[in-house]
Amino acid sequence: MFTTRPTLQGTFGMVSSTHWLASQSAMAVLEDGGNAYDAAVAAGFVLHVVEPHLNGPAGEVPMILAPKDGEVRVLCGQGPAPAGASAARYRSLGLDLVPGTGPLAAAVPGAFDAWMLLLRDHGTKTVAEVLRYAIGYAEDGHAPVERVGQTVETVRELFESEWPTSADVYLPGGRAPEPGKLFRNPVLAATWRRLVDEAEESGGQDRVAQIDAARGIWRTGFIAEALVRQSAVPTMDTSGSRHTGTLTAADLADWSATYEAPATYDWNGWTLAKAAGWSQGPAFLQQLALLPDELPAYGSADYVHLLIEGCKLAMADREAWYGDATGVPLDALLSAPYNDERRTLIKDTASLELRPGSPEGRTPVLSAHAHAVASGESGFDAMGIPVAGAGEPTVAKDGATRGDTCHLDIVDRWGNMVAATPSGGWLQSNPVVPELGFPLGTRLQMAWLDEGLPNTLTPGRRPRTTLTPSLALRDGVPVMAFGTPGGDQQDQWQLHFFLAVAQRDEVRGGPDLQGAIDAPNWHNDSFPGSFFPRGMRPGSVTVEEGMAPEVVEELRRRGHDVTVGDPWSEGRMCAVARDPETGVLSAAANPRGMQGYAVGR
């Protein structure tokens, strides 16, 4: 099979991320004696600088960690709803949905504390050592990818008329960032320099004390104070009105990132690990559980149809059952009897219905909005947000976006492995905090304002996130970390990638990661979207131009509403792997988007 690049292989360390500067910064940390976790933190902060349209320090980041000879764990960098953010309060403002932009949509920021907790508990470097790469690119400049400037141009009118602090950073002299010309964010660089200085002054020469001091500065120091001030500024959002937010000093002071056990599913000798039901992650596991014992030929119309229809069932269950609430019936959703019954719903023709199941005999409950979009009554799909090509941000003039995310995977020479999906806090989410150089996030837009749902907007609860890194084990040993940006498409593209790896013969001494990434990809939108305005297109399938024409024609014959998108437009997968028998490391990255790269030796 044709591939765009080789699958990289070596024994020292491998990095794959959605931007080459982040990948190379992580590799520099490995070369300097750091481990995978030091490298991940450095890369994460570089991604804030070089992909500001896709993530920021006040966003969020779930991670899956596989320490050498340690237990696989999820590190949750998803902050909850502030104490003042309730469904009733938002409905009292005349809202039916949480806005897609502005401070009302801001959860307690989670990314910074998660990165610092990872550094403290699993890394070896200091705060200064991991932040120096991000500080350098923010202070001295970097040549931005084309998408940064395109995103800024899309929201230029909003920045110039309503969000002047964002215009100050992203429209200096009235010009958006341009490829080939250095773009700087000196305020962000100054923020990190001040944080490092204060952390070193407080923590002395003790690495852990410095990191804990940095976490304290974020939660109660100058950064916390600036975030709370910004939340209180009336801000134009996607509702068409100006609102203040709910974030308080107490919200920031009281929250920290946490560790938890992953949700897992065993499939044909593999174990797949994901974040639990507060995330989209179990939808990947449900799609595996729905597969029959014998799969159709890889890439055939039967194969693509099967995966599309299984995805619809899993995503319908996501809408009815997932959330940061007690009683998410994950064991039942992954059980053999439940999936044997659900599998009978997959017919030879495309389903146009939203069909959540009844695990343990319980009755599924959907939001009123989900019912409306499923029946075609809402009109939200006509609000100017295209469905196709969601791997990169699609931005409306009011800042409404979907699919804005980054990803990184790292494995080091000792066998430590990490998959992380940073997102949120992007430049088009909220006005830039003038003292800090970055904005608040908007993850609360994924919660519903109906009462009594697993994903109802509730103080202290995490909004159900689309962010979903993956880790695969073989016979109980971690062997592969992978993931992609793409919002609701993440667990579709990741499943396609994983099955391509799992079903093919190993080549060049390891799995052909690059071939699996480069294979023609697709997604469907036959379920309510997670991003404002939360539309749905029953029966829709978007495929890359590279998919075989006879497969496309057969899908249409079966009733799928197929859109043939641009070539190389579906997904931005990253992956690293390790052969536990030989110690050989592998890595690959997606050519889609023209910025992801793997490095290693």
Side-chain angles (χ1 to χ4, degrees), residues 12 26-34 124-125 129 132-133 413:
F12 180 82
M27 196 66 201
V29 173
L30 295 179
E31 296 285 2
D32 193 44
T124 65
K125 298 290 188 179
E129 288 172 328
R132 69 186 183 95
Y133 305 91
R413 63 188 183 274

Side-chain angles (χ1 to χ4, degrees), residues 310 479 483 495 500 525 556 569:
V479 295
L495 179 75
D525 296 282
R556 286 174 172 156
S569 58

Side-chain angles (χ1 to χ4, degrees), residues 37-110:
Y37 308 115
D38 297 311
V41 178
F45 280 91
V46 169
L47 286 172
H48 298 159
V49 179
V50 300
E51 291 192 324
H53 59 311
L54 303 174
N55 79 140
E60 43 276 330
V61 56
M63 313 178 204
I64 302 184
L65 320 176
K68 176 177 169 54
D69 300 325
E71 187 178 11
V72 174
R73 301 290 283 173
V74 170
L75 175 50
C76 174
Q78 173 59 67
S86 68
R89 178 171 179 175
Y90 283 40
R91 289 197 311 272
S92 74
L93 299 173
L95 299 171
D96 295 318
L97 293 173
V98 178
T101 59
L104 276 181
V108 177

